[in-house]
Amino acid sequence: MSVSDNADESRFEVFLDGELGGVAEYVLEPGRITFTHTEVSVEGKGLGSALVRQALEDVRERGLEVVPECPFVRSYLEKHPEVVGK
């Protein structure tokens, strides 16, 4: 499983065995990122959690404020407050 930022498409992507397994779409503005939608192709394998965890770690390293419009991202942050950006 690997996660990467596809900035051209404004989304983080998770790949499982080389195939796209899900996306976390965002809107990037100066100093902040708004997560708008998260979708995975297979539920129950932890793809969504891995995707959001890696995306949030990347965002934290970049010093961006996180705006969780997406319910999945909001729920993840409520369960894991330690990963919040600034």
Coordinates of all heavy atoms in Angstrom, one line a residue:
M1 N 0.8 -1.2 0.0 CA 0.0 0.0 0.0 C 0.9 1.2 0.0 O 1.8 1.3 0.8 CB -0.9 0.0 1.3 CG -1.9 1.1 1.3 SD -3.0 1.0 2.8 CE -3.4 -0.6 3.0
S2 N 0.6 2.2 -0.9 CA 1.3 3.4 -0.9 C 0.4 4.6 -1.1 O -0.7 4.5 -1.8 CB 2.4 3.4 -2.0 OG 1.8 3.4 -3.3
V3 N 0.8 5.8 -0.6 CA -0.1 7.0 -0.7 C 0.8 8.1 -1.3 O 2.0 8.2 -0.9 CB -0.6 7.4 0.7 CG1 -1.3 8.7 0.6 CG2 -1.5 6.3 1.3
S4 N 0.2 8.8 -2.2 CA 1.0 9.9 -2.8 C 0.0 11.1 -3.1 O -1.2 10.9 -3.2 CB 1.7 9.5 -4.1 OG 0.7 9.0 -5.0
D5 N 0.6 12.3 -3.1 CA -0.2 13.5 -3.4 C -0.1 13.7 -4.9 O 0.9 13.9 -5.5 CB 0.4 14.7 -2.7 CG -0.3 16.0 -2.9 OD1 -1.4 16.0 -3.6 OD2 0.2 17.0 -2.5
N6 N -1.3 13.7 -5.6 CA -1.4 14.0 -7.0 C -1.9 15.4 -7.1 O -3.1 15.7 -7.2 CB -2.3 13.0 -7.7 CG -2.5 13.3 -9.2 OD1 -2.1 14.3 -9.7 ND2 -3.0 12.3 -9.9
A7 N -0.9 16.3 -7.0 CA -1.3 17.8 -7.0 C -2.0 18.2 -8.2 O -2.9 19.1 -8.2 CB 0.0 18.6 -6.7
D8 N -1.7 17.6 -9.4 CA -2.4 18.0 -10.6 C -3.9 17.7 -10.6 O -4.6 18.4 -11.2 CB -1.7 17.3 -11.8 CG -0.3 17.8 -12.1 OD1 0.0 18.9 -11.7 OD2 0.4 17.0 -12.8
E9 N -4.2 16.7 -9.8 CA -5.7 16.3 -9.7 C -6.3 16.8 -8.4 O -7.4 16.5 -8.1 CB -5.8 14.8 -9.8 CG -5.4 14.2 -11.1 CD -6.4 14.6 -12.2 OE1 -7.6 14.7 -11.9 OE2 -5.9 14.7 -13.4
S10 N -5.5 17.5 -7.5 CA -5.9 18.0 -6.2 C -6.5 16.9 -5.4 O -7.6 17.0 -4.8 CB -6.9 19.1 -6.4 OG -6.4 20.2 -7.0
R11 N -5.7 15.8 -5.2 CA -6.1 14.7 -4.4 C -4.9 13.8 -4.0 O -3.9 13.7 -4.7 CB -7.1 13.8 -5.2 CG -6.5 13.1 -6.4 CD -7.6 12.4 -7.2 NE -7.1 11.4 -8.1 CZ -7.8 10.7 -8.9 NH1 -9.1 10.9 -8.9 NH2 -7.2 9.9 -9.7
F12 N -5.1 13.2 -2.8 CA -4.1 12.2 -2.4 C -4.7 10.9 -2.9 O -5.9 10.7 -2.9 CB -4.0 12.2 -0.8 CG -3.2 13.3 -0.3 CD1 -3.7 14.5 0.0 CD2 -1.8 13.1 -0.1 CE1 -2.9 15.5 0.5 CE2 -1.0 14.1 0.4 CZ -1.6 15.3 0.7
E13 N -3.8 10.0 -3.3 CA -4.2 8.7 -3.8 C -3.6 7.6 -3.0 O -2.4 7.6 -2.7 CB -3.8 8.6 -5.3 CG -4.4 9.7 -6.2 CD -3.9 9.7 -7.6 OE1 -2.7 9.3 -7.8 OE2 -4.6 10.2 -8.4
V14 N -4.3 6.5 -2.8 CA -3.8 5.3 -2.2 C -3.8 4.2 -3.3 O -4.8 4.0 -4.0 CB -4.5 4.9 -0.9 CG1 -6.0 4.5 -1.2 CG2 -3.8 3.7 -0.2
F15 N -2.7 3.5 -3.3 CA -2.6 2.4 -4.3 C -2.4 1.1 -3.5 O -1.6 1.0 -2.5 CB -1.4 2.6 -5.2 CG -1.6 3.7 -6.2 CD1 -1.3 5.0 -5.9 CD2 -2.1 3.5 -7.4 CE1 -1.5 6.1 -6.8 CE2 -2.3 4.5 -8.4 CZ -2.0 5.8 -8.0
L16 N -3.0 0.1 -4.0 CA -2.9 -1.3 -3.4 C -2.5 -2.2 -4.5 O -3.3 -2.3 -5.5 CB -4.3 -1.7 -2.7 CG -4.3 -3.0 -2.0 CD1 -3.3 -3.1 -0.9 CD2 -5.7 -3.4 -1.6
D17 N -1.4 -2.9 -4.4 CA -0.9 -3.8 -5.4 C -0.8 -3.1 -6.8 O -1.2 -3.6 -7.8 CB -1.7 -5.0 -5.5 CG -1.7 -5.8 -4.2 OD1 -0.7 -5.8 -3.5 OD2 -2.7 -6.4 -3.9
G18 N -0.4 -1.8 -6.8 CA -0.2 -1.0 -8.0 C -1.5 -0.5 -8.6 O -1.4 0.2 -9.6
E19 N -2.6 -0.7 -8.0 CA -3.9 -0.2 -8.5 C -4.5 0.9 -7.6 O -4.4 0.7 -6.4 CB -4.9 -1.3 -8.8 CG -4.4 -2.3 -9.8 CD -5.5 -3.2 -10.3 OE1 -6.7 -2.8 -10.2 OE2 -5.2 -4.2 -10.8
L20 N -5.1 1.9 -8.2 CA -5.7 2.9 -7.4 C -6.8 2.4 -6.6 O -7.7 1.7 -7.1 CB -6.3 4.0 -8.4 CG -6.9 5.2 -7.7 CD1 -5.8 6.0 -6.9 CD2 -7.5 6.1 -8.8
G21 N -6.7 2.6 -5.3 CA -7.6 2.0 -4.3 C -8.5 3.1 -3.7 O -9.5 2.8 -3.0
G22 N -8.2 4.4 -3.8 CA -9.0 5.4 -3.2 C -8.4 6.8 -3.4 O -7.2 6.9 -3.7
V23 N -9.2 7.8 -3.1 CA -8.7 9.2 -3.2 C -9.3 10.0 -2.1 O -10.3 9.7 -1.5 CB -9.1 9.8 -4.6 CG1 -8.5 9.1 -5.7 CG2 -10.6 9.9 -4.7
A24 N -8.5 11.0 -1.7 CA -9.0 12.1 -0.8 C -8.8 13.4 -1.5 O -7.7 13.9 -1.7 CB -8.2 12.1 0.5
E25 N -9.9 14.0 -2.0 CA -9.9 15.2 -2.8 C -9.7 16.4 -1.8 O -10.2 16.4 -0.7 CB -11.1 15.3 -3.6 CG -11.2 14.1 -4.6 CD -12.5 14.1 -5.3 OE1 -13.5 14.8 -5.0 OE2 -12.6 13.3 -6.3
Y26 N -9.1 17.4 -2.4 CA -8.9 18.6 -1.6 C -8.9 19.9 -2.4 O -8.7 19.8 -3.6 CB -7.6 18.5 -0.8 CG -6.3 18.4 -1.6 CD1 -5.7 19.5 -2.2 CD2 -5.7 17.2 -1.8 CE1 -4.6 19.4 -2.9 CE2 -4.5 17.1 -2.5 CZ -4.0 18.2 -3.1 OH -2.8 18.1 -3.8
V27 N -9.0 21.0 -1.7 CA -8.8 22.3 -2.3 C -7.7 23.0 -1.5 O -7.7 23.1 -0.2 CB -10.1 23.2 -2.1 CG1 -9.8 24.6 -2.6 CG2 -11.2 22.6 -2.9
L28 N -6.6 23.4 -2.2 CA -5.4 24.0 -1.5 C -5.5 25.5 -1.7 O -5.7 26.0 -2.8 CB -4.2 23.4 -2.2 CG -2.9 23.8 -1.6 CD1 -2.8 23.3 -0.1 CD2 -1.7 23.2 -2.4
E29 N -5.3 26.1 -0.6 CA -5.3 27.6 -0.5 C -4.1 28.0 0.3 O -3.5 27.2 1.0 CB -6.5 28.2 0.1 CG -7.8 27.8 -0.6 CD -9.1 28.2 0.2 OE1 -9.4 27.5 1.2 OE2 -9.7 29.2 -0.2
P30 N -3.6 29.2 0.1 CA -2.4 29.6 0.9 C -2.6 29.4 2.4 O -3.6 29.8 3.0 CB -2.3 31.1 0.7 CG -2.9 31.3 -0.7 CD -4.1 30.3 -0.7
G31 N -1.8 28.5 3.0 CA -1.8 28.2 4.4 C -2.8 27.2 4.9 O -2.8 26.8 6.0
R32 N -3.6 26.7 4.0 CA -4.6 25.7 4.4 C -5.0 24.7 3.3 O -4.9 25.1 2.1 CB -5.8 26.3 5.1 CG -6.8 26.9 4.1 CD -7.9 27.5 5.0 NE -9.0 27.9 4.1 CZ -10.1 28.5 4.5 NH1 -10.3 28.7 5.8 NH2 -11.0 28.9 3.7
I33 N -5.5 23.6 3.7 CA -6.1 22.6 2.8 C -7.4 22.2 3.3 O -7.6 21.9 4.5 CB -5.1 21.4 2.7 CG1 -5.5 20.4 1.6 CG2 -4.9 20.7 4.0 CD1 -4.4 19.4 1.2
T34 N -8.4 22.1 2.4 CA -9.7 21.7 2.7 C -10.0 20.3 2.1 O -9.9 20.2 0.8 CB -10.8 22.7 2.2 OG1 -10.5 24.0 2.8 CG2 -12.2 22.3 2.6
F35 N -10.2 19.3 2.9 CA -10.5 18.0 2.4 C -12.0 17.9 2.1 O -12.8 18.2 3.0 CB -10.1 16.9 3.3 CG -8.6 16.7 3.4 CD1 -7.8 17.3 4.3 CD2 -8.0 15.9 2.4 CE1 -6.5 17.1 4.4 CE2 -6.7 15.7 2.4 CZ -5.9 16.3 3.4
T36 N -12.4 17.7 0.8 CA -13.8 17.8 0.4 C -14.5 16.4 0.2 O -15.7 16.3 0.4 CB -13.9 18.5 -0.9 OG1 -13.1 17.9 -1.9 CG2 -13.4 20.0 -0.7
H37 N -13.7 15.4 -0.1 CA -14.3 14.1 -0.4 C -13.3 13.0 -0.3 O -12.2 13.1 -0.8 CB -14.9 14.1 -1.8 CG -15.6 12.8 -2.2 ND1 -16.8 12.4 -1.6 CD2 -15.2 11.9 -3.1 CE1 -17.1 11.2 -2.2 NE2 -16.2 10.9 -3.1
T38 N -13.7 11.9 0.3 CA -12.8 10.7 0.3 C -13.6 9.5 -0.1 O -14.8 9.3 0.2 CB -12.3 10.4 1.8 OG1 -11.6 11.6 2.2 CG2 -11.4 9.2 1.8
E39 N -13.0 8.7 -1.0 CA -13.6 7.5 -1.5 C -12.6 6.4 -1.7 O -11.5 6.6 -2.1 CB -14.2 7.9 -2.9 CG -15.0 6.8 -3.5 CD -15.7 7.3 -4.8 OE1 -16.1 8.5 -4.9 OE2 -15.9 6.4 -5.7
V40 N -13.0 5.2 -1.3 CA -12.1 4.0 -1.5 C -12.9 3.0 -2.3 O -14.1 2.9 -2.3 CB -11.6 3.4 -0.2 CG1 -10.7 4.4 0.5 CG2 -12.8 3.0 0.7
S41 N -12.2 2.1 -3.1 CA -12.8 1.1 -3.9 C -13.2 -0.1 -3.1 O -14.1 -0.8 -3.5 CB -11.9 0.8 -5.1 OG -10.6 0.2 -4.6
V42 N -12.5 -0.4 -2.0 CA -12.8 -1.6 -1.2 C -12.8 -1.2 0.2 O -11.9 -0.6 0.7 CB -11.7 -2.7 -1.4 CG1 -12.0 -3.9 -0.6 CG2 -11.5 -3.0 -2.9
E43 N -13.9 -1.4 0.9 CA -14.0 -1.1 2.3 C -13.6 -2.2 3.2 O -13.6 -3.4 2.8 CB -15.5 -0.7 2.6 CG -15.9 0.6 1.9 CD -17.2 1.1 2.4 OE1 -17.7 0.7 3.4 OE2 -17.8 2.0 1.6
G44 N -13.2 -1.9 4.4 CA -12.8 -3.0 5.4 C -11.4 -3.4 5.3 O -11.0 -4.3 6.0
K45 N -10.6 -2.8 4.4 CA -9.2 -3.2 4.3 C -8.2 -2.1 4.9 O -7.0 -2.2 4.8 CB -8.8 -3.5 2.9 CG -9.5 -4.7 2.3 CD -8.8 -5.2 1.1 CE -9.5 -6.4 0.6 NZ -8.9 -7.6 1.1
G46 N -8.8 -1.0 5.4 CA -8.0 0.0 6.0 C -7.5 1.0 5.0 O -6.6 1.9 5.4
L47 N -8.0 1.0 3.8 CA -7.5 1.9 2.8 C -7.8 3.3 3.1 O -6.9 4.2 3.0 CB -8.0 1.6 1.4 CG -7.6 0.3 0.7 CD1 -8.3 0.1 -0.6 CD2 -6.1 0.4 0.5
G48 N -9.0 3.6 3.5 CA -9.4 5.0 3.9 C -8.6 5.6 5.0 O -8.1 6.7 4.9
S49 N -8.4 4.8 6.1 CA -7.6 5.2 7.2 C -6.2 5.5 6.8 O -5.6 6.5 7.2 CB -7.7 4.2 8.4 OG -9.0 4.2 8.9
A50 N -5.6 4.6 6.1 CA -4.2 4.7 5.7 C -4.0 5.9 4.8 O -3.1 6.7 4.9 CB -3.7 3.5 4.9
L51 N -5.0 6.1 3.9 CA -5.0 7.3 3.0 C -5.0 8.6 3.7 O -4.2 9.5 3.6 CB -6.1 7.2 2.0 CG -6.5 8.4 1.1 CD1 -5.3 8.7 0.2 CD2 -7.7 8.1 0.3
V52 N -6.0 8.7 4.6 CA -6.1 9.9 5.4 C -5.0 10.2 6.4 O -4.5 11.3 6.5 CB -7.5 9.9 6.1 CG1 -7.6 11.1 7.1 CG2 -8.6 10.0 5.1
R53 N -4.5 9.1 7.0 CA -3.4 9.2 7.9 C -2.1 9.8 7.2 O -1.5 10.8 7.6 CB -3.0 7.9 8.6 CG -1.8 8.0 9.6 CD -1.5 6.7 10.2 NE -1.1 5.7 9.3 CZ -1.9 4.6 8.9 NH1 -3.0 4.4 9.5 NH2 -1.4 3.7 8.0
Q54 N -1.8 9.2 6.1 CA -0.6 9.7 5.3 C -0.8 11.1 4.8 O 0.1 11.9 4.8 CB -0.3 8.7 4.1 CG 0.3 7.4 4.6 CD 1.6 7.6 5.2 OE1 1.8 7.3 6.4 NE2 2.6 8.1 4.5
A55 N -2.0 11.4 4.3 CA -2.3 12.7 3.8 C -2.2 13.8 4.9 O -1.6 14.8 4.7 CB -3.8 12.8 3.2
L56 N -2.7 13.5 6.1 CA -2.6 14.4 7.2 C -1.2 14.6 7.7 O -0.7 15.7 8.1 CB -3.5 14.0 8.3 CG -5.0 14.1 8.0 CD1 -5.8 13.4 9.1 CD2 -5.4 15.6 7.9
E57 N -0.4 13.5 7.6 CA 1.0 13.6 8.0 C 1.8 14.5 7.0 O 2.6 15.4 7.4 CB 1.7 12.2 8.0 CG 1.3 11.4 9.3 CD 1.9 10.0 9.3 OE1 2.8 9.7 8.4 OE2 1.5 9.2 10.1
D58 N 1.5 14.4 5.7 CA 2.1 15.2 4.7 C 1.7 16.7 4.9 O 2.5 17.6 4.9 CB 1.6 14.8 3.3 CG 2.3 15.6 2.2 OD1 3.5 15.4 2.0 OD2 1.5 16.4 1.6
V59 N 0.4 16.9 5.2 CA -0.1 18.3 5.4 C 0.5 18.9 6.7 O 0.9 20.1 6.7 CB -1.6 18.2 5.6 CG1 -2.2 19.5 6.1 CG2 -2.3 17.9 4.2
R60 N 0.7 18.1 7.7 CA 1.3 18.6 9.0 C 2.8 19.0 8.7 O 3.2 20.1 9.1 CB 1.3 17.5 10.0 CG 1.9 18.0 11.4 CD 1.9 17.0 12.4 NE 2.5 15.8 12.0 CZ 2.2 14.5 12.4 NH1 1.3 14.3 13.2 NH2 2.9 13.5 11.9
E61 N 3.5 18.2 7.9 CA 4.9 18.5 7.6 C 5.0 19.8 6.8 O 6.0 20.6 6.9 CB 5.5 17.4 6.8 CG 5.8 16.2 7.6 CD 6.3 15.0 6.8 OE1 6.6 15.2 5.6 OE2 6.5 13.9 7.4
R62 N 3.9 20.1 6.0 CA 3.9 21.4 5.2 C 3.4 22.6 6.0 O 3.4 23.7 5.5 CB 3.1 21.1 3.9 CG 3.7 20.1 3.0 CD 2.9 19.5 2.0 NE 2.0 20.4 1.2 CZ 1.1 19.9 0.4 NH1 0.9 18.7 0.2 NH2 0.3 20.8 -0.3
G63 N 2.9 22.3 7.2 CA 2.5 23.4 8.1 C 1.1 24.0 7.7 O 0.9 25.2 8.0
L64 N 0.3 23.2 7.1 CA -1.0 23.7 6.6 C -2.1 23.5 7.6 O -2.1 22.5 8.3 CB -1.4 23.0 5.3 CG -0.5 23.2 4.1 CD1 -1.0 22.3 3.0 CD2 -0.4 24.7 3.7
E65 N -3.0 24.4 7.7 CA -4.2 24.3 8.5 C -5.1 23.3 7.8 O -5.3 23.3 6.6 CB -4.9 25.6 8.7 CG -6.3 25.5 9.4 CD -7.1 26.8 9.3 OE1 -6.6 27.8 8.8 OE2 -8.2 26.8 9.9
V66 N -5.8 22.4 8.5 CA -6.7 21.4 7.9 C -8.1 21.8 8.2 O -8.5 22.1 9.3 CB -6.4 20.0 8.6 CG1 -7.5 19.0 8.1 CG2 -5.0 19.5 8.3
V67 N -8.9 21.8 7.1 CA -10.3 22.1 7.1 C -11.0 20.8 6.7 O -11.0 20.5 5.5 CB -10.7 23.3 6.2 CG1 -12.2 23.5 6.3 CG2 -10.0 24.5 6.6
P68 N -11.6 20.0 7.6 CA -12.2 18.7 7.2 C -13.7 18.8 6.8 O -14.5 18.4 7.6 CB -12.0 17.9 8.5 CG -12.1 18.9 9.6 CD -11.5 20.2 9.0
E69 N -14.0 19.3 5.6 CA -15.3 19.2 5.2 C -15.8 17.8 4.9 O -17.0 17.5 5.1 CB -15.5 20.1 3.9 CG -15.4 21.5 4.1 CD -15.7 22.3 2.8 OE1 -15.9 21.7 1.8 OE2 -15.6 23.6 2.9
C70 N -15.0 17.0 4.5 CA -15.3 15.5 4.3 C -15.6 14.9 5.6 O -14.8 14.9 6.5 CB -14.1 14.9 3.6 SG -14.3 13.1 3.5
P71 N -16.8 14.2 5.7 CA -17.1 13.5 7.0 C -16.1 12.4 7.4 O -15.9 12.3 8.6 CB -18.5 12.9 6.6 CG -19.1 13.7 5.5 CD -17.9 14.1 4.7
F72 N -15.5 11.7 6.4 CA -14.6 10.7 6.8 C -13.3 11.3 7.4 O -12.8 10.8 8.4 CB -14.2 9.8 5.6 CG -13.3 8.7 5.9 CD1 -13.9 7.5 6.4 CD2 -12.0 8.7 5.8 CE1 -13.1 6.4 6.7 CE2 -11.2 7.7 6.2 CZ -11.7 6.5 6.6
V73 N -12.8 12.4 6.8 CA -11.6 13.0 7.4 C -12.0 13.6 8.8 O -11.2 13.5 9.7 CB -11.1 14.1 6.4 CG1 -10.0 14.9 7.1 CG2 -10.7 13.5 5.1
R74 N -13.1 14.3 8.9 CA -13.6 14.8 10.2 C -13.6 13.8 11.2 O -13.1 13.9 12.4 CB -14.9 15.5 10.0 CG -15.3 16.3 11.3 CD -16.5 17.2 11.1 NE -17.6 16.7 10.2 CZ -17.8 17.2 8.9 NH1 -17.2 18.1 8.4 NH2 -18.8 16.7 8.2
S75 N -14.2 12.6 10.9 CA -14.3 11.5 11.9 C -12.9 11.0 12.2 O -12.6 10.7 13.4 CB -15.2 10.4 11.3 OG -15.2 9.3 12.1
Y76 N -12.0 10.9 11.3 CA -10.7 10.4 11.5 C -10.0 11.3 12.5 O -9.3 10.9 13.4 CB -9.9 10.3 10.2 CG -8.5 9.6 10.5 CD1 -8.4 8.2 10.4 CD2 -7.4 10.4 10.8 CE1 -7.2 7.6 10.6 CE2 -6.2 9.8 11.0 CZ -6.1 8.4 10.9 OH -4.9 7.8 11.2
L77 N -10.1 12.6 12.3 CA -9.5 13.6 13.2 C -10.0 13.6 14.6 O -9.3 13.8 15.5 CB -9.6 15.0 12.6 CG -8.7 15.3 11.4 CD1 -9.2 16.7 10.7 CD2 -7.3 15.4 11.8
E78 N -11.3 13.3 14.7 CA -11.9 13.2 16.0 C -11.4 12.0 16.8 O -11.2 12.1 18.0 CB -13.5 13.1 15.9 CG -14.1 14.4 15.5 CD -15.6 14.2 15.2 OE1 -16.1 13.1 15.2 OE2 -16.2 15.3 14.8
K79 N -11.1 10.9 16.1 CA -10.5 9.7 16.7 C -9.0 9.8 16.9 O -8.5 9.1 17.7 CB -10.9 8.5 15.8 CG -12.3 8.2 15.7 CD -12.6 7.0 14.8 CE -14.1 6.8 14.6 NZ -14.4 5.9 13.5
H80 N -8.4 10.6 16.1 CA -6.9 10.7 16.1 C -6.5 12.2 16.2 O -5.8 12.7 15.2 CB -6.3 10.0 14.9 CG -6.7 8.6 14.7 ND1 -6.2 7.6 15.4 CD2 -7.7 8.1 14.0 CE1 -6.7 6.4 15.1 NE2 -7.7 6.7 14.2
P81 N -6.8 12.9 17.2 CA -6.4 14.3 17.3 C -4.9 14.6 17.2 O -4.6 15.8 16.9 CB -7.0 14.8 18.6 CG -7.1 13.6 19.4 CD -7.4 12.4 18.5
E82 N -4.1 13.7 17.5 CA -2.7 13.9 17.4 C -2.1 14.1 16.0 O -1.0 14.6 15.9 CB -1.9 12.7 18.0 CG -2.0 11.4 17.2 CD -3.2 10.6 17.3 OE1 -4.2 11.0 18.0 OE2 -3.3 9.5 16.7
V83 N -2.9 13.9 15.0 CA -2.4 14.1 13.6 C -2.8 15.4 13.0 O -2.5 15.7 11.9 CB -2.9 12.9 12.7 CG1 -2.3 11.6 13.1 CG2 -4.4 12.9 12.5
V84 N -3.5 16.2 13.8 CA -3.9 17.5 13.3 C -2.8 18.4 12.9 O -1.7 18.4 13.6 CB -4.8 18.3 14.4 CG1 -5.2 19.7 13.9 CG2 -6.0 17.5 14.7
G85 N -2.9 19.1 11.8 CA -1.8 20.1 11.4 C -1.6 21.1 12.4 O -1.2 20.8 13.6
K86 N -1.7 22.4 12.1 CA -1.5 23.4 13.1 C -2.7 24.0 13.6 O -3.8 23.7 13.1 CB -0.6 24.5 12.5 CG -1.1 25.3 11.3 CD -0.1 26.3 11.0 CE -0.7 27.3 9.9 NZ 0.1 28.3 9.6

